[in-house]
Amino acid sequence: MHHRAPIQSKLDIDALEATARAKLPRMVYDYYAGGADDELTLADNRAAWDRYALLPRVLVDVSERELSTSVLGRTLAVPFAVAPMAYQGLAHPEGELATVRAAGAVGAPLILSTFATRGIEEVMAVATGPVWFQLYAFSDRGATRALVERAAAAGASALVVTVDAPLLGNRRRDTANDFSLPGDLGVGNLDGLEVPGGSAGVSGASLAAYFGQRVGRSLTWDDVDWIGSIAGLPLVLKGILAAEDARLAAAHGAAAIVVSNHGGRQLDGVPAAVDVLAELVDACAGAVEVWVDGGVRRGTDLVKALALGARLVLVGRPVLWGLATDGETGVRHVLEGLRDELDLALALCGCRRPADLGRGHVRPAAGSGMR
Ligand SMILES: Cc1cc2nc3c(=O)[nH]c(=O)nc-3n(C[C@H](O)[C@H](O)[C@H](O)COP(=O)(O)O)c2cc1C
């Protein structure tokens, strides 16, 4: 990347969120923005990045820079991806189609949720970059197998299995609003799928009820082995916080883990992902790639994650705010803005590429209480 001109990011994610909030029905905004219980983890996800300070190196030639990174054995143009987020059709009529086009424009992979409003085939048809499939494994193995095979046949190039949601977290805002999907929105990936309990009931039904009846509560490491054996795709486990689970993930053949608390939407009171990141990187000792998400809103947050050892960073809600505000253009604005901020922060750290970042570039911020 040759940036001769100054890099001026106009990205203001808080302002975008305010615009999205004004446009969206309350029920939808709360579903997107909210977290579980007292939203302690949700708030900490944002605050945590500020507890780390950057320590730049100087007098490094940063005239030529490169943001590309090796992930799952292939080269990505940027070291970030769009996190799996359900029901994007609530933000914009084009839903995931707009998101995947914007992601492709910056070369960021899109992770398509099991509960996407658009099905994987429709998304692949307009995709110009990698699409990975996020799996909520069903209690019923036949249904799970059908979904995995469908995603692989459609061209998904990795399977991201979410492991932090055997039950849905207690999302008080959704209960208060009686959150449900409008009848005219479907869940494309479940069309035609034989799920015991039926898939037709997704629309209209409350999310918690649907989830509770069909998504597997009994999932164990044996199921991870089984899913790995049927997928034929690199396996990523999303939602790991404990070092021992990171080691188990490596032992069970995962190619990557996502250090994540599900955007504060599952168990409230758990640490921000960034606070356990270095420990999990050390625990895995290079056996798996370590990815991270939660509360990333600035290029400097991306730099901190990469410096602490993350290979890839997932970006969640900012994408929804861009989508709600201005569809594909809005998502592009968010992803291009983050890319430009990352490029600038990297250069100012004295690094030419993400792989140049290391632990020496980050330390506890003064007053963070960390030693
Ligand atoms: C509205 C919404 C829907 C989500 N749906 C899913 C999902 O279907 N599967 C999943 O694994 N994670 C889901 N997540 C969690 C995200 O993948 C990600 O972990 C989290 O949003 C990252 O935090 P951030 O939003 O602060 O960037 C969802 C998050 C949001 C905000």
Side-chain angles (χ1 to χ4, degrees):
M1 193 179 286
H2 303 266
H3 265 124
R4 304 272 181 255
I7 302 166
Q8 291 166 325
S9 167
K10 294 194 185 73
L11 184 61
D12 182 342
I13 289 172
D14 290 337
L16 262 188
E17 175 172 352
T19 307
R21 181 178 196 162
K23 280 185 95 160
L24 293 171
R26 168 86 188 261
M27 177 195 80
V28 174
Y29 172 76
D30 276 349
Y31 168 68
Y32 284 169
D37 286 320
D38 298 310
E39 303 188 336
L40 299 174
T41 297
L42 176 71
D44 199 41
N45 278 353
R46 290 288 302 270
W49 296 104
D50 300 344
R51 292 195 288 265
Y52 295 83
L54 290 169
L55 199 68
R57 297 296 308 275
V58 298
L59 297 171
V60 179
D61 177 353
V62 291
S63 56
E64 309 263 311
R65 301 180 305 281
E66 185 59 65
L67 293 181
S68 66
T69 308
S70 159
V71 173
L72 300 178
R74 55 190 283 185
T75 303
L76 300 182
V78 288
F80 58 83
V82 177
M85 290 177 289
Y87 305 148
Q88 293 177 24
L90 291 170
H92 188 274
E94 289 176 16
E96 293 81 4
L97 302 184
T99 311
V100 78
R101 286 195 199 100
V106 300
L110 174 94
I111 310 178
L112 188 71
S113 170
T114 289
F115 291 113
T117 37
R118 302 289 187 143
I120 178 116
E121 296 82 4
E122 244 187 308
V123 170
M124 291 306 308
V126 298
T128 56
V131 175
W132 301 335
F133 189 77
Q134 178 269 329
L135 177 71
Y136 278 124
F138 291 96
S139 317
D140 181 75
R141 276 196 173 185
T144 303
R145 179 195 284 274
L147 193 55
V148 169
E149 286 175 351
R150 180 174 163 188
S157 47
L159 192 65
V160 179
V161 182
T162 299
V163 294
D164 60 6
L167 287 82
L168 206 65
N170 186 32
R171 303 174 187 173
R172 294 179 181 275
R173 300 196 210 193
D174 294 348
T175 311
N177 295 330
D178 201 11
F179 176 79
S180 65
L181 207 57
D184 57 339
L185 275 187
V187 176
N189 293 318
L190 304 186
D191 282 351
L193 194 72
E194 296 282 328
V195 187
S199 54
V202 192
S203 302
S206 97
L207 178 63
Y210 183 87
F211 210 87
Q213 284 158 27
R214 296 165 188 86
V215 171
R217 296 181 176 182
S218 57
L219 208 67
T220 67
W221 292 101
D222 288 341
D223 298 285
V224 168
D225 294 340
W226 175 75
I227 292 166
S229 76
I230 61 167
L233 294 172
L235 194 66
V236 181
L237 301 184
K238 175 175 179 282
I240 287 184
L241 293 171
E244 190 52 29
D245 283 337
R247 278 188 282 268
L248 282 166
H252 285 268
I257 59 169
V258 188
V259 183
S260 170
N261 57 40
H262 211 115
R265 299 162 73 81
Q266 285 297 105
L267 179 63
D268 197 24
V270 304
V274 60
D275 285 330
V276 297
L277 177 59
E279 188 187 337
L280 269 61
V281 168
D282 292 342
C284 298
V288 293
E289 290 180 10
V290 179
W291 306 353
V292 72
D293 75 15
V296 171
R297 303 295 181 264
R298 278 284 174 219
T300 47
D301 299 339
L302 287 160
V303 164
K304 290 171 189 176
L306 297 167
L308 289 166
R311 184 69 71 89
L312 184 74
V313 181
L314 311 188
V315 180
R317 292 179 182 85
V319 168
L320 298 176
W321 308 144
L323 183 64
T325 302
D326 204 7
E328 178 185 344
T329 309
V331 179
R332 253 183 98 143
H333 173 67
V334 168
L335 298 178
E336 289 175 352
L338 284 173
R339 178 197 61 197
D340 292 349
E341 289 185 4
L342 168 64
D343 183 34
L344 178 61
L346 200 64
L348 293 178
C349 279
C351 295
R352 283 186 283 260
R353 56 187 75 80
D356 292 348
L357 285 165
R359 296 256 173 104
H361 290 102
V362 66
R363 56 165 57 186
S368 68
M370 284 189 286
R371 279 182 286 172

